[in-house]
Amino acid sequence: MGILETIKDPLDVKRLEAGELPALAAEIRDLLVSTVARNAGHLGPNLGVVELTIALHRVFDSPRDPILFDTGHQSYVHKLLTGRAGQFGTLRQEGGLSGYPSRAESEHDFIENSHASTVLSYADGLAKALVLRGDADHTVVGVIGDGALTGGMAWEALNNIAGRKDLPLIIVVNDNGRSYSPTIGGLASHLSSLRMSQGYEHVLELVKNNLGRVPVVGAPLYDTLHGIKKGLKDILTPQVMFEDLGLKYVGPIDGHDEGAVEAALRRARGFRGPVIVHVLTRKGNGYTHAENHDEDCFHSPQPFDIETGEERPKPHSWTNVFSDEMVKVGAERKDVVAITAAMLHPTGLAAFAEAYPDRIYDVGIAEQHALTSAAGLAMGGLHPVVAVYATFLNRAFDQLLMDVALHRQPVTVVLDRAGVTGDDGPSHNGMWDLSILQVIPGLSVAAPRDGARLRELLAEAVAIEDGPSVIRFPKGALPKDVEAVGKLGEMDVLRTGDADVLLVAVGPMAEVCMEAATLLDAQGISATVVDPRWVKPLDEALVLAAAAHKLVVVVEDNGRVGGVGDAVARLLRDADVDVPVRTYGIPQRFLDHAKRVKILSEIGLTGQDLARQITEAVARRSQVMESHPARLVQPTD
C-alpha cells in the first residue's frame, strides 16, 4: 500500500515523518503523469507544486485555514491531499473530479476560480471577515503563480492588503517564471532577477567577515552598512518591491525543498499579519518530458505516451485555420499586429510571432490592458488583432466598450473556445460573448460556420476601419465546409425551402441546422436555412426572409438570454413583422464539465432534438392559429 493511499485528509499528511515525504511526492507525481496522460489536463503546473502543497497542508489546518489557488489549475495536488486520490482517475470526466477547485467536491475547495489574478482579492475579503468575526487565529493562504501576478487585479488586491497590518494572510508567490509560456513583462524580469540573486543577507555576511578583520574601522563601518540595508537591498535584490508596499517578505525559497518551504511557511505564520512567501519552482518538475518541453512544459497536454512524451495527433482545428490565415494576413497587411494575453500558442499566434516577431505583443495575463493597448495601437495607425479565449473577454468588456468602441478604433478581437468547450468546466464555456457584445455600439460580430468562412471573415474583419470587430469560433476539430446555395443580402442561404420555417444558423450550428432541416422535411415541414455570417449588425434582408415564413428559429451556441435570437426578435419587432421567433441555445446556467458533444446533446442542441422541438412548435402554432378569434367569426349572409 502506497503512502498516498493512506491520505484521507490533511491530518494524515501532518502525521507523516519527514523522511516519508519524498516517497509521497514521488507517488503524487506518478499519479499526476499517468492520469493526465490518459485524461488530458494541466500537468506542468501541478508537477511544480508538489512539495509546496505538501508543506502547505503540514503547516496549515485546511479547511479551518482556507487555502486558495490562483490559478485553480494548480490544485490537483491539493485534491490528492484532501481525500480525493481514490477518485483522481475520473479527472475531467463527466461526473468525475473537476480540473479546477470545486465547492461541490470538497469543503477544502473555497473558490472555483480558473480566471487568473483573482485569489488575492478573495483572500483579502476572507481575512477581513476572520478579523471582523474575531477568528483571527485562523490564517488565509493565497497561492498565486503561473504568471497570475501579471494581472492588474492582483496588484489592486496587494495595494489593499498592504494597508491592513492585522490581516491573518499569507501570500505564496509560486514563481516558476512561466504562465503558459515564459512569463513576459517588467514584473517577470523583476522576479527573474530575484531568482538569480544571492540576497542581501549573504552580501552583508561577506562584508562583515572581511571588515571585521580591520581594527577600529571594521565594526563601525559594518554597522553603518547594516544601517543602510534598505539601500543595499535596492541594489542587490528587488525584494524591496514587496517591502515598499508594507508587506513582510520571506524568500526566495527552493520550492522543491519541502523542509525549507515548511520552515518558511511556519515563520510567516508567526508574523500574524500579511506576509509574502516567495517560492521558486520548476514547471513540470520530476517528469523529464515536461521539464524539457520548451513551448509550455506540458501546461495542458492532450493525452500522451508516458514513455516518449508524445501527444496523440490532434485533428486540424479552428485554431489551426486562424493561425495559418493570420500569417497570410500579416504578409498582405503590414499594419496588422497581434496581441496575446499570455496565450501565444493556445490562441494560434505562435506562427505569426515567428513570421513577424516585431509585430506581436504578449501583455501577460492582462486582458483589460490588452484591449486598451490595442486601442492605442489603432490610434497610432495600426490594426491590432487581439486573440483571447471567449470566456476571458468578459474581463475586458469595459475596455472594449469605452476604450475601443467609443473611439471607433479598428481593433479585431478573435475569440477562441466560444460556445461550449466542455472538459474545463463552467468558467471556460464561452457562452456569454454574444450576449454582452450586443450592447456595444458600432461593433461588428462574425460567427463563421466552417474553416472557409473563418478565412473569409477574418479578411473582412481586418478591412473594417471605422470601428471594432469580433470573430468567434469554438474549440476542437473543424466541421466539413458547408457551401452556400445562394445569397440573401450578405447572408448565405444553405438550404431553400417553402414558407414553413426559417432556420437562422449561427456559426458552427449550421451543421446541426442542416441535419434538423433534413429531419423536418421527413415530417412534412419545409425549412429554409440561412447563415447570417455577421450576427451584429444583422442583415436587413433577414426581415424580408422572416416575413415570408410562418416561424423563425434561431440556433446559437451562446446563452439564450440577450444573444442572437433576442437580436433577431428585436429586429423583426422594429420592422413590424409579426412572425414568431424561437431561440435554441445554451440554458442560462453554469454547465458541468463533460465532452462538448455530450453537453450539446444534454441541452438539446443536436439535429434530432431541434427537429423534434421545431415540429412541436409548428404543431402548437397551428393549434393557436386554428383557435384564433378571427377564425371563429362566421361569415354573414
Side-chain angles (χ1 to χ4, degrees):
M1 188 177 189
I3 297 175
L4 184 56
E5 294 176 86
T6 69
I7 305 298
K8 305 305 179 185
D9 61 51
L11 288 176
D12 295 325
V13 181
K14 294 178 184 295
R15 296 188 185 105
L16 294 176
E17 298 293 332
E20 297 177 281
L21 300 181
L24 173 62
E27 289 181 26
I28 290 172
R29 285 195 167 90
D30 286 345
L31 184 56
L32 290 173
V33 171
S34 63
T35 302
V36 177
R38 182 179 63 254
N39 295 7
H42 292 92
L43 181 59
N46 288 286
L47 289 172
V49 298
V50 174
E51 287 81 10
L52 168 59
T53 311
I54 291 173
L56 285 169
H57 281 294
R58 284 175 65 81
V59 173
F60 301 102
D61 299 317
S62 177
R64 183 174 176 270
D65 296 325
I67 301 175
L68 317 177
F69 289 88
D70 186 347
T71 57
H73 61 228
Q74 58 182 335
S75 65
Y76 291 8
V77 185
H78 169 74
K79 289 176 183 276
L80 295 175
L81 298 180
T82 52
R84 287 169 273 180
Q87 303 166 265
F88 199 65
T90 68
L91 181 73
R92 302 175 81 248
Q93 305 301 297
E94 182 184 3
L97 294 182
S98 169
Y100 293 92
S102 170
R103 290 166 66 91
E105 284 180 15
S106 173
E107 63 178 345
H108 297 280
D109 292 0
F110 277 77
I111 54 177
E112 304 190 12
N113 62 321
S114 56
H115 285 195
S117 312
T118 59
V119 76
L120 299 187
S121 296
Y122 281 119
D124 175 58
L126 265 172
K128 287 173 179 173
L130 291 179
V131 171
L132 197 60
R133 287 167 32 199
D135 294 333
D137 58 326
H138 300 183
T139 302
V140 179
V141 183
V143 182
I144 186 165
D146 247 26
L149 268 179
T150 59
M153 185 175 172
W155 291 92
E156 294 174 22
L158 277 173
N159 181 56
N160 280 270
I161 291 167
R164 289 287 300 267
K165 305 302 181 187
D166 60 336
L167 288 184
L169 171 58
I170 293 176
I171 299 165
V172 178
V173 177
N174 171 29
D175 180 10
N176 60 19
R178 305 179 74 95
S179 49
Y180 284 76
S181 301
T183 306
I184 302 296
L187 174 63
S189 299
H190 210 51
L191 290 179
S192 178
S193 64
L194 230 176
R195 294 167 70 91
M196 295 182 289
S197 172
Q198 291 184 339
Y200 85 101
E201 290 91 351
H202 298 142
V203 176
L204 276 178
E205 188 65 27
L206 179 65
V207 171
K208 180 179 180 180
N209 289 340
N210 284 280
L211 289 183
R213 299 172 188 161
V214 181
V216 183
V217 299
L221 184 54
Y222 170 74
D223 291 340
T224 301
L225 282 174
H226 194 61
I228 59 169
K229 68 177 183 178
K230 183 73 181 305
L232 193 59
K233 284 196 295 182
D234 285 343
I235 298 170
L236 297 173
T237 64
Q239 69 190 53
V240 70
M241 169 180 66
F242 294 114
E243 292 191 344
D244 274 350
L245 285 171
L247 295 167
K248 293 187 182 296
Y249 173 92
V250 176
I253 310 297
D254 179 357
H256 301 300
D257 182 338
E258 193 282 332
V261 177
E262 194 174 321
L265 292 173
R266 294 188 189 282
R267 179 184 171 199
R269 187 180 62 179
F271 283 131
R272 304 312 303 164
V275 185
I276 297 273
V277 178
H278 185 191
V279 178
L280 307 181
T281 63
R282 183 177 183 183
K283 196 167 184 174
N285 189 68
Y287 180 55
T288 302
H289 297 300
E291 292 176 355
N292 297 333
H293 190 252
D294 291 334
E295 181 178 314
D296 64 5
C297 294
F298 274 29
H299 177 86
S300 54
Q302 295 299 304
F304 61 91
D305 182 275
I306 295 175
E307 296 300 320
T308 65
E310 291 292 324
E311 294 184 59
R312 294 179 192 167
K314 301 176 184 177
H316 200 57
S317 68
W318 293 88
T319 308
N320 295 141
V321 173
F322 167 67
S323 177
D324 295 342
E325 204 60 25
M326 268 298 290
V327 174
K328 294 178 184 177
V329 169
E332 296 165 0
R333 292 274 302 271
K334 305 300 182 185
D335 62 327
V336 169
V337 296
I339 299 176
T340 176
M343 302 180 74
L344 186 70
H345 291 88
T347 59
L349 287 177
F352 185 92
E354 185 175 350
Y356 317 109
D358 295 333
R359 292 156 59 187
I360 183 78
Y361 304 98
D362 187 341
V363 300
I365 304 177
E367 292 85 1
Q368 292 174 302
H369 169 65
L371 266 296
T372 304
S373 178
L377 285 164
M379 290 172 182
L382 301 175
H383 191 112
V385 176
V386 183
V388 297
Y389 284 5
T391 183
F392 296 147
L393 181 67
N394 303 357
R395 316 186 77 181
F397 170 77
D398 182 66
Q399 287 69 30
L400 183 57
L401 175 67
M402 293 297 179
D403 303 337
V404 179
L406 176 63
H407 295 85
R408 302 189 67 82
Q409 292 305 308
V411 174
T412 297
V413 180
V414 176
L415 301 181
D416 202 325
R417 273 71 165 177
V420 172
T421 55
D423 297 337
D424 281 329
S427 64
H428 268 52
N429 289 309
M431 58 177 285
W432 322 104
D433 56 288
L434 290 179
S435 299
I436 65 176
L437 294 177
Q438 288 291 336
V439 304
I440 298 182
L443 174 70
S444 301
V445 180
R449 65 180 179 269
D450 53 33
R453 259 40 65 177
L454 174 53
R455 297 182 186 94
E456 291 174 5
L457 290 167
L458 180 61
E460 293 177 26
V462 296
I464 297 173
E465 294 299 331
D466 60 349
S469 55
V470 171
I471 301 176
R472 53 132 38 206
F473 52 81
K475 175 183 180 180
L478 280 167
K480 293 180 180 179
D481 286 352
V482 180
E483 298 301 333
V485 297
K487 294 290 277 189
L488 189 60
E490 294 301 315
M491 299 188 299
D492 283 345
V493 179
L494 306 183
R495 190 182 196 274
T496 58
D498 296 331
D500 292 337
V501 178
L502 176 65
L503 263 172
V504 181
V506 177
M509 303 314 292
E511 187 177 33
V512 174
C513 288
M514 292 293 281
E515 181 186 348
T518 300
L519 295 171
L520 286 170
D521 199 47
Q523 299 296 318
I525 301 172
S526 181
T528 299
V529 182
V530 298
D531 171 13
R533 298 175 72 253
W534 290 94
V535 296
K536 184 182 185 306
L538 289 165
D539 197 312
E540 291 293 331
L542 188 58
V543 174
L544 295 176
H549 290 79
K550 300 174 183 176
L551 176 67
V552 175
V553 173
V554 182
V555 184
E556 58 186 303
D557 56 342
N558 183 78
R560 293 180 66 245
V561 177
V564 179
D566 284 358
V568 169
R570 185 171 60 252
L571 177 71
L572 299 186
R573 286 197 305 271
D574 290 347
D576 290 326
V577 173
D578 189 21
V579 177
V581 178
R582 298 286 184 271
T583 300
Y584 298 97
I586 302 173
Q588 219 66 38
R589 59 180 172 84
F590 295 108
L591 304 174
D592 291 333
H593 63 276
K595 297 297 182 186
R596 173 180 164 88
V597 172
K598 178 69 173 180
I599 292 176
L600 290 176
S601 176
E602 288 180 349
I603 62 179
L605 289 182
T606 67
Q608 187 171 5
D609 288 326
L610 288 172
R612 175 180 53 77
Q613 294 174 86
I614 293 169
T615 299
E616 293 171 355
V618 169
R620 288 195 301 271
R621 182 65 182 168
S622 298
Q623 293 171 4
V624 169
M625 294 305 295
E626 286 298 322
S627 60
H628 193 280
R631 291 182 176 272
L632 300 179
V633 176
Q634 299 298 317
T636 59
D637 294 333

